[in-house]
Amino acid sequence: MTLIKSISGIRGTIGGVVNENLTPVNAVKFAAAYGMWLKGQNSNQSLTVIIGRDARISGEMISNLVANTLVGLGINVTDIGLSTTPTVEVAVTLDNADGGIIITASHNPKQWNALKLLNEKGEFLNAVEGEKILGIAEDETFVFSEVDDLGKYEKKEGFIDQHIDEVLKLALVDAEAIKNANFKVVVDAVNSTGGIAIPALLEKLGVECIRLYCEPNGHFPHNPEPLKEHLTDISELVVTEKADFGIVVDPDVDRLAIICEDGSMFGEEYTLVACADYVLGRTKGNTVSNLSSSRALKDITLKHGGVYQASAVGEVNVVELMKITNAIIGGEGNGGIIYPAAHYGRDSLVGVALFLSHLAHAKISCKKLRESYPDYYMSKSKIELTPQINVDEILEKTAQKFSDKKPNCIDGVKIDFEAEWVHLRKSNTEPIIRIYTESTTQKKADELAQKFIKEISELI
């Protein structure tokens, strides 16, 4: 059982001992810390926070605890219920709220849940803001409101539909071309809220939708992280249904993976590449992804005359660099698309609409589109950590050993070789070291990963 506190929120397993797991007590403490921070940032007498959740079994319980804690602090709560992470982000701005909380543990299994915190722009908090909230939670410096000053609680529906309408308004989303293409698509939403949002979007775009695991009951039928080894069912169904491609989203719908018509993976890394190719082909500009993302985005950006830059891992870091460089599209190689014309957040609904537009204009199959991009192969491994392991020391020694390669150390250690790279970093959400590698063949990527697993194991 685990409780992980970070600048991006609090994440843990349900049940167990206070301060070792995500118990009701911990949910209340962290919600109270966020509420106190929010009140400290605003002189407004009346504050409103949007709350939404994915379909996890524990979601309603945690949501109720969070909502009532904020009400106890004198903050108004608008509960939009079953939703997606990008929908809550959009709802904050559409409703002119002062902040937002998303109850979701993203790609983690069903025993996990988390609180993701947003500012008044519907964007994740930065490191300084996150540290302040962690400090308030640690010190328990909470001051609750008297009875006449309690906040108000209300439920509002329809924000997923409003989110879809906002996506359809985007200039580069060509609804007519998509409709005329007569696409047939299979959707795997891992029995979470993507099962509500993605089929509804496809219906508006005139796309035939075959639903797989789209009942938002929180009982994940497979590991919810959209990786190849977890997606055998949809791969088979795409072929059986003779669909044009398959769409896979994680429980909170901020990661998007595509399955080609032959059941093969388009590649999570290439979701962003394809969407960027479409956007850059129609709007000149720059791109950003994180250090663990494929070189393919840089290749595509240079092809279109733009500038590519890499940020530290984490959505808030990508967004910060996108703003600095005026990037017109960016994201993370895990299938997270950030398109500022919509909003500064990973959004699978936006990704689906851009991908469909791209495929409709290209007039080729999904497989042919994938074959048009540079071939890179990635390996993603991890090493489990124990409390006595000094991860920072291990990463520092690794950087020193490969100092001739001028490693990038803004987030762990990224070592670029001529035709491949490795990125070693401590996870913010799990007690592990992540090892990402990329090369020109899968065999070479796997071998590079094993080489560095051995290097780290020896240091440990």
Side-chain angles (χ1 to χ4, degrees):
M1 294 297 187
T2 309
L3 181 68
I4 299 172
K5 302 173 185 177
S6 73
I7 59 169
S8 59
I10 188 169
R11 181 180 303 228
T13 48
I14 297 298
V17 179
V18 173
N19 295 331
E20 293 182 14
N21 313 89
L22 184 55
T23 67
V25 172
N26 294 106
V28 167
K29 283 173 61 175
F30 203 72
Y34 172 73
M36 290 298 296
W37 171 82
L38 196 64
K39 290 173 74 172
Q41 301 300 301
N42 292 272
S43 56
N44 297 346
Q45 289 296 311
S46 180
L47 298 176
T48 300
V49 171
I50 302 280
I51 293 179
R53 61 185 174 90
D54 70 16
R56 288 168 193 275
I57 299 165
S58 61
E60 187 173 9
M61 175 191 73
I62 298 295
S63 182
N64 289 337
L65 289 164
V66 169
N68 285 311
T69 300
L70 294 176
V71 167
L73 286 165
I75 297 171
N76 300 321
V77 171
T78 301
D79 185 351
I80 66 174
L82 288 174
S83 191
T84 75
T85 285
T87 301
V88 178
E89 293 170 348
V90 169
V92 169
T93 56
L94 288 178
D95 227 37
N96 295 313
D98 300 288
I101 299 179
I102 309 149
I103 313 299
T104 176
S106 192
H107 63 274
N108 288 87
K110 71 176 183 178
Q111 65 267 32
W112 289 77
N113 215 328
L115 279 65
K116 292 184 177 182
L117 310 178
L118 305 175
N119 62 19
E120 77 284 357
K121 297 177 182 176
E123 299 170 13
F124 288 115
L125 306 187
N126 62 35
V128 173
E129 294 164 335
E131 289 288 356
K132 286 181 180 177
I133 291 169
L134 289 175
I136 295 169
E138 186 70 25
D139 297 338
E140 298 188 7
T141 49
F142 315 132
V143 180
F144 290 92
S145 297
E146 295 183 7
V147 68
D148 292 329
D149 299 318
L150 297 176
K152 294 180 175 60
Y153 172 86
E154 68 169 335
K155 290 186 177 182
K156 274 192 182 180
E157 297 181 350
F159 276 102
I160 287 179
D161 289 333
Q162 289 186 58
H163 183 186
I164 291 170
D165 290 341
E166 293 296 311
V167 172
L168 296 178
K169 289 177 187 176
L170 294 170
L172 292 188
V173 174
D174 194 336
E176 185 176 355
I178 294 169
K179 186 175 182 180
N180 291 337
N182 295 313
F183 289 122
K184 181 180 181 180
V185 174
V186 178
V187 176
D188 177 356
V190 72
N191 283 343
S192 191
T193 49
I196 304 170
I198 301 299
L201 171 65
L202 295 176
E203 183 180 351
K204 287 279 186 77
L205 290 168
V207 175
E208 182 181 353
C209 175
I210 308 298
R211 291 170 171 83
L212 174 67
Y213 308 136
C214 285
E215 182 65 32
N217 57 28
H219 293 285
F220 304 151
H222 56 76
N223 186 306
E225 189 164 14
L227 303 178
K228 179 181 179 179
E229 57 267 31
H230 307 148
L231 303 177
T232 53
D233 290 352
I234 186 172
S235 295
E236 292 171 3
L237 191 57
V238 166
V239 175
T240 302
E241 290 286 345
K242 297 181 179 177
D244 293 290
F245 61 96
I247 292 171
V248 183
V249 291
D250 66 336
D252 69 325
V253 202
D254 63 357
R255 289 175 62 173
L256 171 65
I258 304 294
I259 310 293
C260 295
E261 70 275 9
D262 64 351
S264 65
M265 294 291 294
F266 191 86
E268 247 195 328
E269 293 288 331
Y270 285 83
T271 308
L272 174 57
V273 173
C275 290
D277 186 27
Y278 175 68
V279 170
L280 293 170
R282 286 154 181 78
T283 312
K284 298 300 179 186
N286 305 323
T287 66
V288 170
S289 64
N290 67 39
L291 287 169
S292 291
S293 300
S294 174
R295 281 182 179 174
L297 180 61
K298 180 179 181 180
D299 293 348
I300 292 298
T301 305
L302 294 175
K303 185 188 85 170
H304 288 291
V307 175
Y308 165 82
Q309 291 194 46
S311 76
V313 173
E315 183 173 327
V316 66
N317 298 315
V318 175
V319 167
E320 182 180 7
L321 189 55
M322 287 181 71
K323 290 178 177 179
I324 292 170
T325 60
N326 293 314
I328 60 171
I329 190 167
E332 299 187 281
N334 59 11
I337 312 297
I338 302 173
Y339 186 46
H343 64 110
Y344 276 109
R346 296 186 304 184
D347 191 331
S348 293
L349 280 75
V350 169
V352 166
L354 292 176
F355 188 86
L356 283 164
S357 299
H358 189 19
L359 206 58
H361 280 276
K363 292 182 167 50
I364 57 176
S365 70
C366 186
K367 184 76 170 180
K368 288 291 185 185
L369 181 65
R370 171 62 184 85
E371 290 172 350
S372 71
Y373 298 126
D375 259 337
Y376 294 109
Y377 297 84
M378 190 169 284
S379 175
K380 298 181 180 182
S381 306
K382 58 189 177 182
I383 294 178
E384 299 287 342
L385 301 178
T386 56
Q388 64 268 28
I389 295 174
N390 188 330
V391 181
D392 294 329
E393 183 181 341
I394 289 167
L395 295 178
E396 185 179 342
K397 287 180 178 179
T398 304
Q400 289 171 354
K401 184 172 181 178
F402 292 90
S403 58
D404 60 315
K405 299 296 181 184
K406 298 180 179 178
N408 185 327
C409 297
I410 65 169
D411 181 12
V413 180
K414 170 82 175 280
I415 304 168
D416 274 295
F417 302 96
E418 185 176 348
E420 55 192 12
W421 56 260
V422 60
H423 186 202
L424 315 170
R425 65 182 296 272
K426 182 169 56 175
S427 172
N428 291 327
T429 58
E430 298 176 72
I432 58 175
I433 292 179
R434 296 191 185 276
I435 302 170
Y436 294 117
T437 62
E438 185 175 66
S439 192
T440 52
T441 70
Q442 190 62 57
K443 185 173 182 289
K444 289 180 179 178
D446 292 340
E447 287 174 348
L448 185 61
Q450 289 305 312
K451 174 186 174 182
F452 275 87
I453 287 173
K454 185 180 178 182
E455 294 268 1
I456 293 170
S457 297
E458 288 174 355
L459 288 171
I460 291 174

